[in-house]
Amino acid sequence: MHADATAVTSMPSEQFFLARQPILGRDQKLVAFELLFRAAPEHEDAQLTDYAAATATVIAHASQLGMEQVVGEQLAFVNVDEVVLKSDFVRFLPPDRVILEILETVDPNDQVLARIRELKELGFKFALDDVIGHSEQVSKLIDLVDVIKVDVNAISREELTCLATSLRDAPQKLLAEKVETVEEFHLCMELGFEYFQGYYFARPAILSGKKISPSELVVLRLLELIGSNADNAAIELAVKRDALLSLNLLRLVNSRAAGPDRHIESVSQALVQLGRSQLQRWLQILLYSTPDGRVELNSPLLQMATTRGRLLELMSLTLRPGDVAGAEAAFTIGIMSLMDALLSLPMDRILDRVDVSQEVKAALLDRAGDYGAMLSVAEELEGKQCGRRLSRALDKLGLSIKQIREIELAAFDWVRGLGADTRVH
């Protein structure tokens, strides 16, 4: 089955969600995203038969927008079934930016093997999905793929150990998927896996007796001062108490200052130049920075937090145009929603230190109200199974699938551009 460009771009795209899941390297930095195409709940029965249409639609979107907007500097893993493999529209993808992930449903017949070899000659790389043992499919495809994805939830620890050991000397890289706990991650590290996919890094590992570090305390104190509308002198004094924070603030403002002759040398000038709203946003992002104050956009937790923040902000502005305060609260909820994972503290203890409204607290603690529904939408879009919970949250808010996909792409693009706007090193 072949599909030409006209067929792809004319396919109905309203009924599919675009999600992406982060893929991390052994250093816990982002290396790729898997792009996931989910049918809307009312079309779930047709999800498998419509898979090629969903893939074609997102490939067309990615081609029109540019893969960079969807995944930034990272690689994209794109699932392909036999129909997609044999189609012409797969050629719309840039070979140097994607890894084609062969689904476990693909029959490695002679035609499929020939097509994979043809695409490899064009520069495409391949991954084999959901490997749980040495099947006939694996034996026929293993020499043609670059990455082997192992579903760690589908097999026992002993089976995982045996499988990883048998593949350890193979030239292919091993990727552990559905890694949901830190213990699973450590086991896969020991077994020689190169890549990791799953939300283990975003799970709050609550530690008894854990204390917030001095630098985190400074940022949280400043956020509390801003939230309580403290005067400029109190905010300036709090910034000046931390030399690194003062230095980074001056660097940030001078990187944004208008004109080559405009150089800001005092903290008080910097605070005026930046303004309360931007200072609050910068501090929220800075919480996820490295100990020396660098914002590294290949940190998966920072990517998730800032994406959530921007998603909620754009949802809020779509629903309540002109409500700047509401949009700022939405951004705060999104970016704070992973602070329990960041600080290894329960969310209620963190919220005791930051002055936020009851509406913000209710969203963060109970996913309550409109903001809670927005946060639920963001969480569902992170590559989990986009299903009825997502649709219910969208219905509650009055947002369409088309609107949320446009908001999502705009959020991805904004996060990608953060490097220039939050340069704190």
Side-chain angles (χ1 to χ4, degrees):
M1 174 179 172
H2 286 253
D4 60 22
T6 306
V8 174
T9 52
S10 65
M11 280 182 179
S13 61
E14 304 311 307
Q15 304 311 319
F16 297 103
F17 296 107
L18 167 61
R20 61 177 199 176
Q21 267 196 359
I23 295 172
L24 282 57
R26 289 179 69 87
D27 61 358
Q28 296 305 279
K29 297 293 193 294
L30 270 172
V31 293
F33 287 103
E34 179 176 356
L35 299 185
L36 298 159
F37 321 129
R38 304 296 196 205
E42 60 270 26
H43 296 270
E44 279 175 355
D45 292 341
Q47 189 160 351
L48 289 176
T49 55
D50 285 349
Y51 190 85
T55 305
T57 299
V58 181
I59 287 173
H61 276 64
S63 303
Q64 291 160 10
L65 294 166
M67 191 59 75
E68 193 176 352
Q69 183 175 344
V70 183
V71 295
E73 295 179 359
Q74 278 74 36
L75 291 170
F77 278 64
V78 178
N79 287 205
V80 292
D81 61 6
E82 187 169 345
V83 173
V84 177
L85 266 176
K86 291 180 178 178
S87 70
D88 288 336
F89 61 74
V90 75
R91 295 277 303 276
F92 293 162
L93 291 168
D96 60 326
R97 302 299 308 279
V98 302
I99 293 180
L100 300 178
E101 192 171 321
I102 304 169
L103 293 174
E104 67 276 15
T105 54
V106 172
D107 174 22
N109 55 50
D110 290 344
Q111 283 184 316
V112 165
L113 295 174
R115 176 60 168 165
I116 292 171
R117 291 188 185 98
E118 179 187 344
L119 290 171
K120 281 182 75 70
E121 286 182 13
L122 295 171
F124 284 98
K125 290 184 176 175
F126 289 85
L128 193 51
D129 191 30
D130 276 349
V131 173
I132 55 174
H134 290 279
S135 65
E136 184 183 354
Q137 188 207 36
V138 171
S139 63
K140 285 189 175 182
L141 289 170
I142 193 166
D143 291 335
L144 293 172
V145 301
D146 305 274
V147 177
I148 296 171
K149 295 185 73 173
V150 178
D151 183 347
V152 300
N153 275 349
I155 51 179
S156 69
R157 180 170 180 155
E158 292 74 22
E159 288 170 324
L160 176 63
T161 301
C162 288
L163 180 59
T165 303
S166 69
L167 293 169
R168 183 169 284 171
D169 295 328
Q172 294 81 8
K173 305 285 189 186
L174 294 183
L175 188 159
E177 61 178 330
K178 298 181 184 170
V179 183
E180 297 301 322
T181 68
V182 174
E183 291 75 24
E184 287 173 346
F185 162 67
H186 286 310
L187 172 62
C188 292
M189 280 280 284
E190 289 171 15
L191 292 174
F193 282 83
E194 289 285 336
Y195 306 120
F196 309 86
Q197 184 175 351
Y199 286 103
Y200 65 94
F201 66 87
R203 302 275 181 251
I206 306 304
L207 306 177
S208 58
K210 169 78 163 64
K211 292 184 178 178
I212 299 174
S213 74
S215 62
E216 290 163 348
L217 271 174
V218 171
V219 177
L220 287 173
R221 173 65 181 147
L222 273 163
L223 287 170
E224 188 174 18
L225 288 171
I226 293 168
S228 60
N229 288 317
D231 61 34
N232 289 343
I235 292 174
E236 184 180 339
L237 184 62
V239 173
K240 284 179 174 176
R241 279 181 178 152
D242 189 287
L244 182 61
L245 192 65
S246 299
L247 179 63
N248 282 330
L249 175 65
L250 289 169
R251 285 176 175 167
L252 170 75
V253 175
N254 281 310
S255 74
R256 296 156 53 98
D261 301 325
R262 181 85 183 268
H263 189 76
I264 293 168
E265 295 181 351
S266 74
V267 169
S268 58
Q269 278 182 299
L271 291 172
V272 170
Q273 173 77 18
L274 200 58
R276 292 263 173 129
S277 174
Q278 286 302 309
L279 176 63
Q280 181 183 37
R281 178 162 304 199
W282 177 67
L283 289 166
Q284 289 165 340
I285 292 170
L286 197 63
L287 267 174
Y288 292 84
S289 68
T290 59
D292 60 356
R294 285 182 296 117
V295 172
E296 292 189 354
L297 284 176
N298 60 356
S299 155
L301 212 53
L302 175 63
Q303 277 267 346
M304 278 182 71
T306 49
T307 301
R308 283 186 185 185
R310 186 60 171 168
L311 274 170
L312 266 67
E313 181 181 31
L314 293 174
M315 279 188 255
S316 181
L317 287 171
T318 301
L319 295 168
R320 306 167 191 164
D323 182 0
V324 176
E328 287 176 358
F331 184 88
T332 293
I333 290 164
I335 204 161
M336 285 188 69
S337 64
L338 287 164
M339 280 176 58
D340 51 355
L342 175 75
L343 302 178
S344 297
L345 287 169
M347 185 62 76
D348 55 354
R349 273 189 63 192
I350 295 167
L351 293 178
D352 286 342
R353 291 188 167 274
V354 185
D355 190 3
V356 295
S357 69
Q358 280 304 119
E359 202 175 13
V360 170
K361 276 189 179 178
L364 285 167
L365 293 174
D366 304 312
R367 303 299 186 260
D370 281 353
Y371 289 132
M374 291 181 204
L375 183 52
S376 294
V377 168
E379 289 171 328
E380 288 292 313
L381 286 171
E382 285 166 355
K384 302 179 181 74
Q385 191 70 36
C386 296
R388 299 193 187 281
R389 277 180 57 193
L390 175 55
S391 276
R392 278 197 297 270
L394 287 176
D395 288 344
K396 180 179 177 181
L397 294 167
L399 288 171
S400 69
I401 294 170
K402 183 174 185 291
Q403 281 177 308
I404 200 64
R405 194 168 51 243
E406 288 171 354
I407 286 169
E408 199 178 11
L409 289 169
F412 293 162
D413 200 37
W414 182 83
V415 171
R416 185 178 61 82
L418 264 180
D421 208 35
T422 56
R423 195 175 292 120
V424 292
H425 58 283

